[in-house]
Amino acid sequence: MLRNSVREFPAVAPLPSRPHEAPILAASGIDQRFIVKGRTTTVFDAFDFAVEEGSFVSIVGPSGCGKSTLLKLMAGLESASGGEILFKGKRVDQPPKGVIYVFQQYNKSIFPWRTVLENVGFGLEHQDGLSRASRREQCQEYIRLVGLEGYESYYPSQLSGGMQQRVAIARALVCKPDVLMMDEPFSAVDALTRATLQQLVLKIWQSLPVTVVFVTHDVDEAVYLSSRVVSLGRAPAHIVDDVRIALPYPRDAVRTRSDARYIAARERLLSRILAAETACPVDAKPERAEQPA
Amino acid sequence: MKLRWPGFVLVALALLLWQCASTYGWVDTVSVPRVTTIVLSWWQNLANGALPAQIIPSLRRLVIGLGVAIAVGVPLGLLMGVNRLTYRLLEPITEIIRPIPSAAYIPVAILFLGLGDQMKIFVITLACVFPILLNTYSGVKGIDPVLIDTGRTLGTPRFSILRKIVFPACLPSLLTGIRISLGIALIVSVTSEMIAGTNGLGYFILDKQRTFRVSEVFAGILTLGVLGYVLNLIFLQIERYLLRWRGTTAEA
């Protein structure tokens, strides 16, 4: 399925933290083109990509390479010009139940007229056969998980950015998704909040049966969080690198980052991204960039 | 919000100047009576029931007219916002009728609906529906697509997206439309009563003017001012309650 076979990172033996099974999400032969002022921009041209169940996959890449678009396509929020997306073997043509997208712009994604509790419960309101009490109970559970207990009756305008993103995460989790799509979820918060939110996402991924697809432009964040990092090049999108991060979980905000395997993975990804960027500068009319051997 | 007194001091100063102007003959006392005379006449007309008897029918028509305008304007505005076909269908007719001053179509309304309440309520509704419709529409248009996509990814059915996301998201803009229409409703109801009235504040003012009871004319105008102020105050309270989720309360 994958254009590039997944390479084991050479420095360590494969150490999957969870059994990686058949792909839960697979994009195959994706075409996506935009026509702006008569010029056709090709974002995807026969692009293949797959996400294994239970994995934590990060997609990194320069801005405009189509990583957010890929995420939106897989979440059923946009539709491609060609090709197909399969979620659990079923074709995705609208947002499938079981895949939930967490937006980068949490302040635009949160419902400002709803309290924390009402925001978190939003997705449950369209599920039949749930009593008010059990809905509330489930909401409370996830509010506790993201560390917002005591803030149930607050309105978003009374919360910090990091807390708003926690609400968005709890609101997604309460629907018990199989896949959580996170589009640069921490790019708009300060560094310290970001570090605590990274810990939170890791805790959630380890304690719940959820697959995470995480888009970021930050290679460090990607390596630190993920079991696999895919690096995309642009125009049209192509996989520059696909690396398994064989660092054990739970990961430590300080020690993991000084681990030799972490440093090596980071160096490899960064150097390849930079090489791809040099080979294919932004303004040049790009031919398909050289794929790494 | 709390600091209201400087504004009231200015009102008091203006009234004082007026009082002096009439008392010392700077203006013609017949056409501009003293403030005290007006207030006294206002009080007498309130006490003997003459004014309340005019306020009630005016208020009743205003509330019904505005209510119908909300009931028509809000759903149409929502529909125009979410459905391009509806927008293309209704936009031209909206833009043709909207700029016509309400006074201009009162004579036509009289032809069709007579001189009674129906005509007045119709005219109020027609004048009020456009600010509500257009503000609802622009409120829907101003919704960030991220908010709609959030609803979609959370598995929200289409109609629920309209009801639970689009409607509350455009509520601030919608309420602004209603507030504009509230002012228009008062103007149009008085105008319609002046043109074809047997009761109401507009009729009261015109009737007193025809019988040269100038202080009562002013008493009628004073009533309109107070009525507009109170209606707006009530509306602001409703608005503040409905938009209580907004962090910083916008200055009224």
Side-chain angles (χ1 to χ4, degrees):
Chain A
M1 217 51 163
L2 282 170
R3 181 181 303 264
N4 297 56
S5 60
V6 174
R7 282 171 303 270
E8 292 303 335
F9 187 61
V12 282
L15 183 67
S17 58
R18 288 196 208 183
H20 292 293
E21 295 153 22
I24 188 165
L25 260 177
S28 52
I30 295 299
D31 286 323
Q32 182 82 316
R33 289 183 180 79
F34 297 110
I35 300 171
V36 183
K37 289 178 191 157
R39 276 187 59 177
T40 310
T41 308
T42 307
V43 185
F44 293 109
D45 181 13
F47 182 82
D48 296 331
F49 183 70
V51 177
E52 301 110 322
E53 185 159 9
S55 58
F56 194 127
V57 182
S58 283
I59 303 171
V60 295
S63 35
C65 73
K67 50 193 196 300
S68 287
T69 309
L70 177 62
L71 210 61
K72 284 218 168 93
L73 288 172
M74 290 196 294
L77 290 173
E78 280 181 21
S79 41
S81 330
E84 66 173 5
I85 312 273
L86 295 177
F87 168 62
K88 287 181 165 176
K90 263 189 267 169
R91 202 190 159 100
V92 171
D93 43 17
Q94 54 176 3
K97 195 171 146 43
V99 178
I100 292 187
Y101 196 100
V102 176
F103 290 85
Q104 175 185 12
Q105 312 100 313
Y106 49 80
N107 54 339
K108 291 180 181 167
S109 170
I110 215 95
F111 303 121
W113 55 86
R114 285 177 168 243
T115 63
V116 169
L117 185 70
E118 289 163 352
N119 258 289
V120 172
F122 187 85
L124 294 180
E125 289 170 15
H126 317 106
Q127 294 178 10
D128 298 327
L130 268 177
S131 73
R132 233 187 162 73
S134 82
R135 223 159 57 193
R136 197 191 163 92
E137 202 175 299
Q138 291 182 43
C139 292
Q140 290 285 2
E141 187 188 328
Y142 287 96
I143 286 172
R144 217 173 302 127
L145 181 71
V146 300
L148 283 177
E149 61 266 67
Y151 291 96
E152 289 85 349
S153 59
Y154 281 55
Y155 284 104
S157 60
Q158 299 167 298
L159 303 178
S160 69
M163 289 161 98
Q164 290 183 13
Q165 192 58 293
R166 281 168 196 262
V167 174
I169 292 169
R171 183 176 62 184
L173 289 174
V174 79
C175 301
K176 303 198 172 54
D178 300 302
V179 183
L180 200 58
M181 301 286 199
M182 306 188 89
D183 182 12
E184 302 193 27
F186 310 144
S187 59
V189 296
D190 63 87
L192 194 64
T193 308
R194 185 177 193 152
T196 55
L197 286 174
Q198 286 173 350
Q199 287 312 114
L200 175 70
V201 167
L202 279 177
K203 183 179 89 175
I204 287 163
W205 179 70
Q206 286 171 264
S207 56
L208 301 174
V210 64
T211 305
V212 177
V213 185
F214 193 100
V215 161
T216 178
H217 55 259
D218 181 348
V219 173
D220 291 82
E221 183 172 66
V223 174
Y224 175 64
L225 293 173
S226 318
S227 61
R228 176 182 164 209
V229 178
V230 177
S231 160
L232 287 192
R234 75 178 117 204
H238 57 277
I239 292 173
V240 169
D241 208 354
D242 189 340
V243 179
R244 275 203 196 294
I245 309 298
L247 288 159
Y249 290 94
R251 293 185 180 172
D252 183 273
V254 181
R255 257 172 290 137
T256 300
R257 286 195 168 91
S258 53
D259 192 300
R261 291 167 292 187
Y262 173 89
I263 294 165
R266 182 180 167 274
E267 272 179 15
R268 168 183 164 153
L269 278 159
L270 271 178
S271 58
R272 291 206 180 207
I273 290 168
L274 290 175
E277 277 295 279
T278 321
C280 169
V282 190
D283 300 322
K285 180 86 188 83
E287 294 300 322
R288 173 161 297 218
E290 280 295 301
Q291 304 247 336
Chain B
M1 275 309 275
K2 277 275 159 273
L3 213 62
R4 280 236 171 96
W5 64 266
F8 285 113
V9 167
L10 187 65
V11 172
L13 279 175
L15 289 176
L16 191 69
L17 186 70
W18 181 344
Q19 178 74 4
C20 293
S22 318
T23 308
Y24 300 113
W26 304 340
V27 290
D28 173 21
T29 324
V30 178
S31 44
V32 187
R34 292 176 201 171
V35 176
T36 44
T37 318
I38 293 167
V39 171
L40 191 70
S41 146
W42 183 61
W43 181 249
Q44 280 167 349
N45 278 285
L46 273 179
N48 68 18
L51 265 174
Q54 309 301 337
I55 294 172
I56 289 165
S58 284
L59 206 56
R60 197 179 67 87
R61 287 189 289 259
L62 185 147
V63 169
I64 296 172
L66 190 61
V68 176
I70 293 169
V72 172
V74 171
L76 276 186
L78 285 173
L79 209 60
M80 281 171 78
V82 296
N83 186 301
R84 279 215 65 78
L85 187 68
T86 321
Y87 174 76
R88 293 208 191 103
L89 197 67
L90 295 179
E91 196 261 354
I93 194 167
T94 304
E95 289 307 319
I96 290 168
I97 300 177
R98 192 176 62 95
I100 302 173
S102 51
Y105 47 69
I106 290 176
V108 183
I110 291 173
L111 285 181
F112 285 98
L113 296 165
L115 297 167
D117 278 2
Q118 277 174 321
M119 179 276 286
K120 287 167 198 143
I121 290 167
F122 170 78
V123 171
I124 294 170
T125 301
L126 194 60
C128 289
V129 81
F130 295 110
I132 295 172
L133 186 141
L134 291 174
N135 275 279
T136 306
Y137 168 76
S138 69
V140 175
K141 281 288 148 196
I143 295 173
D144 198 294
V146 168
L147 210 57
I148 307 296
D149 276 347
T150 302
R152 291 175 62 210
T153 196
L154 291 170
T156 320
R158 275 178 76 101
F159 186 72
S160 292
I161 287 185
L162 192 64
R163 192 166 60 88
K164 291 183 174 176
I165 299 176
V166 174
F167 179 72
C170 75
L171 194 60
S173 169
L174 188 161
L175 288 171
T176 303
I178 295 179
R179 187 138 71 97
I180 295 167
S181 288
L182 186 66
I184 292 175
L186 199 62
I187 295 168
V188 176
S189 66
V190 169
T191 313
S192 68
E193 285 158 7
M194 284 181 165
I195 294 178
T198 49
N199 61 14
L201 284 166
Y203 167 77
F204 179 88
I205 290 166
L206 206 65
D207 186 50
K208 299 303 172 191
Q209 189 250 337
R210 281 172 181 153
T211 50
F212 299 105
R213 299 167 80 163
V214 180
S215 67
E216 283 170 326
V217 171
F218 278 101
I221 294 169
L222 176 63
T223 312
L224 281 173
V226 173
L227 194 66
Y229 184 81
V230 170
L231 285 175
N232 193 51
L233 213 62
I234 293 169
F235 187 79
L236 285 178
Q237 289 301 316
I238 296 171
E239 190 176 56
R240 192 189 298 178
Y241 172 75
L242 290 175
L243 304 182
R244 62 192 176 284
W245 45 270
R246 283 214 285 213
T248 44
T249 43
E251 182 67 58

